């Protein structure tokens, strides 16, 4: 008898905090908080789509190109994104692979980042700058949920990989990477302070002239 587990959904988690973690996260938190004050377009966008919090997703979504600090973070994430693409067995030989978008999220208690995916992208992820105790983990949805139709509920003791929703807790300094089509959300949570994260997309292209 053989049972094959096919079509895996991979999620990469790694602490990328170096010896300078406290300083880096403090500088990133300061920059995110000052964006939340100065980015009027982002505040207007957030008032409609990110109630109670601030995200630069609708206004400043290429922070890695405009801020030396975000660019430093991008350089730190790049090798992990490449390693993840390798784990997924994508063939990037002769192709460019780079961060295309990068935005900041500042989330006080009770704010929801509703279920979504990252269209027109390939690999996405989030770097955690500040995660107060109790701040919502990132919750992933089984990508086949819409196909399950007549399946019975799973037993309560089913392994995590068989759950329909899996929440992965993150702490400051952690990096999470996933394929951009995988739907995810940040559920509301009670905590004090602000949960600050930096999200991004990577894209690939055929190298010019090939
Ligand atoms: O903050 C998180 O955990 C994830 C945020 C997210 O999904 C996004 O910014 O697109
Ligand atoms: Fe997201």
């Amino acid at each position: 008898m053989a049972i094959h587990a096919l079509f895996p959904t991979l999620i990469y988690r790694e602490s990328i905090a170096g010896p300078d973690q406290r300083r880096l996260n403090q500088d990133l938190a300061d920059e995110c908080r000052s964006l939340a004050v100065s980015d009027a377009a982002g505040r207007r966008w957030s008032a409609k789509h990110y109630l109670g919090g601030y995200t630069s997703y609708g206004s400043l979504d290429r922070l890695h190109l405009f801020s030396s600090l975000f660019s430093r973070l991008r350089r730190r994430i790049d090798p992990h994104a490449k390693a993840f693409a390798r784990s997924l067995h994508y063939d990037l030989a002769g192709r460019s692979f780079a961060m295309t978008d990068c935005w900041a999220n500042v989330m006080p208690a009770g704010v929801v980042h509703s279920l979504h995916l990252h269209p027109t992208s390939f690999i996405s992820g989030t770097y955690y700058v500040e995660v107060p105790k109790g701040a919502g983990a990132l919750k992933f949805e089984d990508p086949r949920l819409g196909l399950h139709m007549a399946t019975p509920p799973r037993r309560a003791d089913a392994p995590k990989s068989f759950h329909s929703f899996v929440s992965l807790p993150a702490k400051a300094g952690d990096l999470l990477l996933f394929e951009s089509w995988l739907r995810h959300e940040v559920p509301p949570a009670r905590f004090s302070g602000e949960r600050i994260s930096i999200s991004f997309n990577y894209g690939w292209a055929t190298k010019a002239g090939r």
Side-chain angles (χ1 to χ4, degrees):
M1 196 267 280
I3 293 184
H4 300 275
L6 299 174
F7 315 121
T9 303
L10 306 191
I11 298 174
Y12 180 106
R13 180 166 56 177
E14 176 75 297
S15 169
I16 60 166
D20 60 340
Q21 184 209 348
R22 278 177 82 88
R23 185 63 206 272
L24 175 68
N25 283 348
Q26 188 56 58
D27 291 348
L28 286 166
D30 289 348
E31 196 156 324
C32 292
R33 286 200 172 93
S34 77
L35 283 172
V37 172
S38 63
D39 174 19
R43 284 212 312 277
R44 279 195 300 277
W45 196 92
S46 302
K48 280 201 192 125
H49 305 285
Y50 201 72
L51 198 60
Y54 165 77
T55 177
S56 73
Y57 180 72
S59 51
L60 301 168
D61 62 355
R62 299 172 88 192
L63 290 170
H64 61 303
L65 300 182
F66 297 108
S67 148
S68 56
L69 190 59
F70 281 77
S71 155
R72 212 171 109 203
L73 179 66
R74 194 265 305 154
R75 286 196 298 277
R76 199 171 283 200
I77 295 171
D78 275 353
H80 296 275
K82 284 197 182 110
F84 185 48
R86 269 198 304 277
S87 308
L88 290 159
H89 298 274
Y90 287 119
D91 183 4
L92 292 173
R95 304 189 166 108
S96 66
F97 174 62
M99 189 180 279
T100 51
D101 318 283
C102 178
W103 61 96
N105 306 305
V106 180
M107 186 180 243
V111 178
V112 180
H113 196 155
S114 56
L115 196 62
H116 65 284
L117 44 75
H118 295 199
T120 73
S121 178
F122 158 41
I123 284 175
S124 297
T126 301
Y127 174 72
Y128 293 88
V129 177
E130 262 184 39
V131 185
K133 197 165 180 294
L138 188 57
K139 181 172 167 186
F140 294 95
E141 181 194 66
D142 180 347
R144 304 157 308 166
L145 203 56
L147 305 172
H148 281 177
M149 301 190 294
T151 56
R154 289 239 159 74
R155 283 202 317 264
D157 62 353
K160 194 157 82 174
S161 58
F162 281 85
H163 292 191
S164 297
F165 294 92
V166 176
S167 288
L168 293 186
K171 58 181 192 319
D174 280 357
L175 175 72
L176 282 182
L177 299 172
F178 45 89
E179 292 197 70
S180 306
W181 45 255
L182 184 62
R183 296 212 300 174
H184 55 281
E185 70 176 344
V186 185
R190 281 198 192 93
F191 55 88
S192 57
E194 287 173 322
R195 178 187 190 278
I196 301 183
S197 62
I198 294 171
S199 296
F200 47 82
N201 292 324
Y202 277 78
W204 69 277
T206 309
K207 276 198 181 138
R210 281 173 188 268

